């Protein structure tokens, strides 16, 4: 599953942040696990570089908060990032639909 | 299961032991490790086993900071390096734009006036003996660096300069924020001009190089240094915003 997820990871992260407002790294990994009943597991090694890249591109903004005596970094989508989310989600949806057409081709002739 | 203060410290020591040195990244990873370890301990795993397993999730990361795949960074260190580079790339892009768009702005004109003043003193052959005059070019660098250190308002418990080479890993921890401010200020790399300036001064003193060569080399170094200082002050809001300050 992991190799199929790789290219769509940033879109998954963006969609989750769009739905949930703000989230921190560990929370994102757990949310994906929960939504897919453990079928999709985002590795931490792949998640954080994507978060940092999107932050550098100003698609995400980060804010820190002290929680239980430690610093937690929350990410949220910037106004500039909103358009990116719409585009990427639409792109991924179209890809999934096309993939579905290939994997489940309709019979040419119905009896 | 809540972790104890000692376990919290063990996590930080583990991260520093992995070679991490930037405070912002260590903070984010500490939070991740605590969440992950608490969940694993909730399932019955021991603290050290959970720590090891959480750390192993990052082991496959690899980053090549240099061409020809020399000196690769692996694991958490690779991620930290990528994190720092992504911030630095943003700053570099802005520095280029600033240089192009504001070359004749008032601060730059003031810089050129300062260069003119140093020029005036340097033209006297006798003043070449005066090493203090040569260091006039370094004054703005020191001033902006001091200003940055005060403006950032961070605890200064890290070790800088040459002392960094001999300090323990714990005392090497620094912030990306201050490091980037020092980078735009030139403190991180302008110091290397000393390597050029001091021999240049003595070459001139003992007549190994002609006066015009000495003069224009110094003028070039002073100009570059001071223009970098102007950019540094302009970049402070950008760096602050980038790091969420």
């Amino acid at each position: 599953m992991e190799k199929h997820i790789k290219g769509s990871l940033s879109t998954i992260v963006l969609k989750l942040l769009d739905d949930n407002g703000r989230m921190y790294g560990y929370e994102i990994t757990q949310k994906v696990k929960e939504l897919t009943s453990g079928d999709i597991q985002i590795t931490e090694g792949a998640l954080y570089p994507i978060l940092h890249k999107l932050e550098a591109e100003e698609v995400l903004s980060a804010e820190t908060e002290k929680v239980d005596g430690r610093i937690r970094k929350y990410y949220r989508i910037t106004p500039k990032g909103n358009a990116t989310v719409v585009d990427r989600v639409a792109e991924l949806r179209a890809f999934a639909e096309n993939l579905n057409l290939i994997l489940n081709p309709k019979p040419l002739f119905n009896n | 299961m809540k972790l104890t203060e000692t376990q919290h410290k063990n996590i930080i020591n583990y991260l520093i032991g992995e070679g991490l040195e930037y405070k912002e990244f260590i903070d984010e990873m500490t939070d991740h490790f605590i969440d992950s370890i608490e969940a694993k301990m909730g399932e019955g795993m021991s603290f050290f086993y959970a720590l090891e397993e959480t750390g192993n999730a990052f082991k496959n990361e690899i980053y090549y900071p240099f061409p020809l795949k020399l000196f690769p960074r692996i694991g958490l260190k690779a991620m930290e390096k990528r994190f720092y580079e992504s911030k630095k790339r943003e700053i570099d892009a802005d520095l280029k734009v600033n240089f192009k768009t504001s070359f004749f702005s008032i601060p730059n004109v003031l810089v050129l006036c300062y260069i003119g003043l140093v020029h005036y003193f340097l033209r006297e052959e006798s003043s070449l003996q005066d090493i203090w005059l040569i260091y006039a070019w370094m004054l703005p660098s020191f001033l902006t660096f001091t200003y940055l250190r005060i403006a950032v308002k961070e605890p200064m418990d890290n070790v800088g300069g040459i002392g960094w080479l001999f300090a323990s890993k714990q005392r090497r921890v620094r912030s990306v924020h201050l490091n980037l401010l020092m980078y735009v200020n030139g403190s991180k790399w302008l110091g290397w001009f000393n390597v050029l300036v001091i021999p240049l001064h003595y070459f001139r003193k003992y007549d190994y190089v002609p006066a015009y060569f000495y003069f224009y080399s110094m003028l070039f170094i002073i100009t570059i240094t001071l223009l970098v200082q102007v950019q540094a002050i302009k970049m402070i809001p950008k760096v602050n915003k980038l790091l969420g300050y």
Side-chain angles (χ1 to χ4, degrees):
Chain A
M1 186 72 83
E2 224 172 85
K3 63 182 175 193
H4 303 301
I5 297 299
K6 220 175 176 186
S8 345
L9 196 53
S10 60
T11 313
I12 294 172
V13 170
L14 287 172
K15 178 74 179 122
L16 282 177
L17 287 168
D18 194 34
D19 292 344
N20 295 281
R22 63 170 201 172
M23 293 174 95
Y24 56 95
Y26 184 76
E27 192 183 7
I28 294 174
T29 59
Q30 295 309 298
K31 192 80 186 169
V32 173
K33 208 168 155 186
E34 181 196 316
L35 287 174
T36 62
S37 313
D39 278 349
I40 295 178
Q41 290 197 24
I42 297 183
T43 60
E44 293 83 347
L47 173 70
Y48 285 100
I50 281 177
L51 288 172
H52 298 150
K53 188 168 172 275
L54 291 170
E55 191 194 350
E57 288 169 1
E58 293 180 14
V59 173
L60 299 183
S61 66
E63 56 204 37
T64 50
E65 216 173 276
K66 211 159 188 178
V67 178
D68 291 335
R70 61 191 196 254
I71 291 166
R72 178 162 287 167
K73 190 173 177 183
Y74 286 97
Y75 294 90
R76 67 165 75 241
I77 294 169
T78 60
K80 181 188 161 188
N82 282 326
T84 314
V85 179
V86 174
D87 286 352
R88 292 218 193 156
V89 170
E91 220 172 81
L92 187 62
R93 196 163 278 147
F95 174 73
E97 279 164 13
N98 286 327
L99 197 64
N100 201 28
L101 286 176
I102 295 167
L103 296 177
N104 302 301
K106 284 178 188 160
L108 286 175
F109 302 104
N110 287 324
N111 292 324
Chain B
M1 186 182 278
K2 269 230 161 319
L3 298 189
T4 63
E5 193 69 24
T6 318
Q7 288 168 331
H8 191 149
K9 278 183 189 155
N10 277 333
I11 293 173
I12 295 173
N13 285 338
Y14 172 86
L15 294 171
I16 293 173
E18 288 288 304
L20 301 190
E21 52 187 305
Y22 291 113
K23 194 181 167 297
E24 291 90 338
F25 190 71
I26 292 174
D27 284 343
E28 189 173 21
M29 285 301 110
T30 304
D31 183 46
H32 177 91
F33 269 64
I34 291 176
D35 283 332
S36 171
I37 291 171
E38 280 178 353
K40 288 183 198 302
M41 285 171 77
E43 292 163 8
M45 215 179 263
S46 75
F47 170 75
F48 285 106
Y49 195 71
L51 174 65
E52 203 57 43
E53 195 155 285
T54 307
N56 283 343
F58 297 94
K59 288 276 190 264
N60 292 334
E61 287 304 298
I62 189 155
Y63 177 70
Y64 299 102
F66 301 105
L68 303 173
K69 298 190 172 183
L70 292 171
F71 310 114
R73 305 289 194 271
I74 293 160
L76 284 159
K77 186 73 192 158
M79 277 175 61
E80 184 189 58
K81 195 74 189 156
R82 249 188 234 126
F83 170 70
Y84 179 75
E85 291 299 324
S86 69
K87 303 280 180 202
K88 193 166 153 281
R89 259 197 300 275
E90 282 285 291
I91 301 291
D92 283 341
D94 264 51
L95 274 174
K96 274 182 202 158
V97 172
N98 274 356
F99 261 101
K100 279 181 192 162
T101 57
S102 61
F103 196 78
F104 291 107
S105 63
I106 291 171
N108 282 15
V109 170
L110 290 176
V111 161
L112 294 173
C113 290
Y114 179 83
I115 293 168
L117 209 66
V118 176
H119 172 171
Y120 175 78
F121 288 112
L122 276 178
R123 73 178 165 47
E124 296 292 331
E125 193 65 19
S126 61
S127 68
L128 292 179
Q129 308 301 324
D130 188 358
I131 194 84
W132 294 108
L133 187 60
I134 288 165
Y135 277 89
W137 71 273
M138 286 176 72
L139 183 68
S141 180
F142 283 127
L143 289 179
T144 50
F145 177 63
T146 310
Y147 171 72
L148 293 175
R149 280 234 143 189
I150 296 166
V152 170
K153 288 181 186 151
E154 280 181 14
M156 297 301 161
D157 54 354
N158 63 334
V159 176
I162 291 173
W164 187 85
L165 291 173
F166 307 103
S168 66
K169 280 183 174 178
Q170 273 77 4
R171 296 206 66 203
R172 283 184 183 188
V173 173
R174 55 210 160 135
S175 84
V176 176
H177 187 216
L178 186 62
N179 215 48
L180 282 177
L181 284 171
M182 282 166 66
Y183 169 72
V184 294
N185 161 251
S187 313
K188 280 182 74 65
W189 52 276
L190 281 175
W192 290 103
F193 272 154
N194 283 308
V195 178
L196 297 176
V197 169
I198 294 169
L200 195 63
H201 172 74
Y202 284 102
F203 283 167
R204 179 60 206 137
K205 193 175 169 182
Y206 298 112
D207 259 346
Y208 292 128
V209 290
Y212 74 89
F213 178 83
Y214 173 81
F215 177 74
Y216 286 110
S217 305
M218 286 301 293
L219 207 62
F220 174 75
I221 292 171
I222 292 167
T223 311
I224 294 289
T225 310
L226 298 187
L227 290 179
V228 165
Q229 303 312 308
V230 173
Q231 298 306 319
I233 293 170
K234 281 187 200 163
M235 290 294 289
I236 292 174
K238 166 79 186 176
V239 178
N240 286 344
K241 188 173 164 243
L242 193 67
L243 273 301
Y245 284 83

